[in-house]
Amino acid sequence: MKEYTLDIGGIGYGCVEAGSGPLLLLCHGTFGGRQLMLPQLEWLSRSFRCVAFDWRGHGGSGYDPAGWTADDLVEDVATIIAALGERSAIIAGVSQGGAIGMRVALRYPEKVEALINMCGGPGAPPPAAIERISGFARIFAEERDEAVRRAAAIEFATGYFHAPDFIAHQQQRFAEEIDVILSHPRESVGLLPCVPASYVDITPRLGEIACPTLIVWASHEARLTLGSELAAAIPEARLVIIQDAGHHVNVDAPEATTAAIETFLRAVGQARTG
């Protein structure tokens, strides 16, 4: 496993890479980080060149003080693929990562070999959710007391990211996620809500996604029926519901999520060679 930084249009993207084979990009959600994708990277790197990265403003990546949008991240992903010396990639993303992956597949269909969307919606979150995200970002950016910031992160992640009993059963995993959230630069966190607020609803265009697609949804996702709606709208998309998991489905249930991705990618590979 190696770590490095890619210069993507003047923004440094912190990456971790393992394995060889077809390129598989692992994309985290808002307030997450590349570390949260490591269970998938470590297992899937047996068959793929896996690269997990921090989005702009997260962890080891830089950012534009003027802010950025979902469209900027779509362009970043296309540039990352080229910077890694590849013409195309498989994109697997959770939440924001899945939302951006769908948009890359629409704007640059030739660059997306297959798409795995884990709990990423086609449009902006509802206003109440945007306000909740923005409120947490403000506390994180403005509060000087580390204990207060940690308490806010715990409250936000508990209510927004996980199944009801996740923390009780996975205390160490939850603590590691909170550490990831608190590792982000305070100067950039206040800008992170600009991406979910910038989404233009792509629901009318979902039928244009032409690559093999897997929708991984969680049984405790707040938008419970959206996964099946996405799968019905995207041609020949497959749907897997992960039980006892919440919005951060790959954190709540890393083994089941990774197994679903591996099964899907194996079937895609067999279809192409068969």
Side-chain angles (χ1 to χ4, degrees):
M1 191 179 301
K2 60 181 178 180
E3 297 187 12
Y4 52 87
T5 300
L6 287 177
D7 185 335
I8 305 298
I11 302 292
Y13 262 76
C15 302
V16 58
E17 177 176 339
S20 61
L23 178 60
L24 171 57
L25 296 181
L26 297 165
C27 311
H28 67 81
T30 306
F31 300 121
R34 62 189 179 187
Q35 299 97 317
L36 301 184
M37 311 304 294
L38 289 182
Q40 287 72 53
L41 180 143
E42 290 169 353
W43 185 260
L44 296 170
S45 61
R46 300 178 309 157
S47 303
F48 298 91
R49 179 189 179 191
C50 294
V51 177
F53 57 80
D54 290 325
W55 288 115
R56 294 189 188 199
H58 293 77
S61 293
Y63 66 99
D64 184 344
W68 58 95
T69 67
D71 284 343
D72 292 323
L73 298 188
V74 169
E75 296 302 320
D76 286 354
V77 171
T79 305
I80 286 170
I81 293 170
L84 291 170
E86 303 286 354
R87 298 180 64 180
S88 61
I90 302 160
I91 300 177
V94 60
S95 190
Q96 176 177 287
I100 297 300
M102 290 191 293
R103 288 161 172 80
V104 178
L106 286 170
R107 187 173 301 176
Y108 296 105
E110 74 283 0
K111 293 183 179 293
V112 184
E113 292 291 330
L115 174 66
I116 299 103
N117 174 12
M118 298 172 266
C119 296
I130 292 287
E131 179 52 38
R132 187 176 186 181
I133 293 168
S134 300
F136 170 60
R138 284 193 297 270
I139 292 172
F140 190 106
E142 298 170 6
E143 179 57 56
R144 298 285 179 178
D145 189 321
E146 174 73 15
V148 174
R149 291 168 61 223
R150 181 172 292 275
I154 290 171
E155 180 182 11
F156 179 82
T158 300
Y160 201 78
F161 290 151
H162 298 297
D165 59 352
F166 169 75
I167 299 169
H169 295 154
Q170 299 291 344
Q171 294 182 20
Q172 180 61 35
R173 196 180 298 167
F174 182 65
E176 291 169 355
E177 180 185 50
I178 295 301
D179 287 342
V180 169
I181 295 172
L182 293 174
S183 72
H184 303 321
R186 289 182 57 227
E187 315 84 61
S188 64
V189 167
L191 298 170
L192 300 186
C194 65
V195 172
S198 74
Y199 289 139
V200 174
D201 191 0
I202 59 171
T203 299
R205 298 192 59 200
L206 292 174
E208 299 173 35
I209 295 177
C211 63
T213 300
L214 172 66
I215 304 298
V216 177
W217 219 248
S219 63
H220 289 283
E221 165 66 42
R223 305 161 299 175
L224 186 58
T225 63
L226 184 54
S228 59
E229 292 165 9
L230 288 169
I234 297 172
E236 299 184 19
R238 306 182 188 194
L239 172 67
V240 173
I241 304 293
I242 304 295
Q243 298 299 318
D244 302 318
H247 186 64
H248 273 190
V249 61
N250 67 311
V251 177
D252 278 20
E255 296 85 1
T257 299
T258 305
I261 295 172
E262 184 178 40
T263 299
F264 167 71
L265 292 178
R266 187 183 301 119
V268 169
Q270 290 172 347
R272 284 179 176 156
T273 58

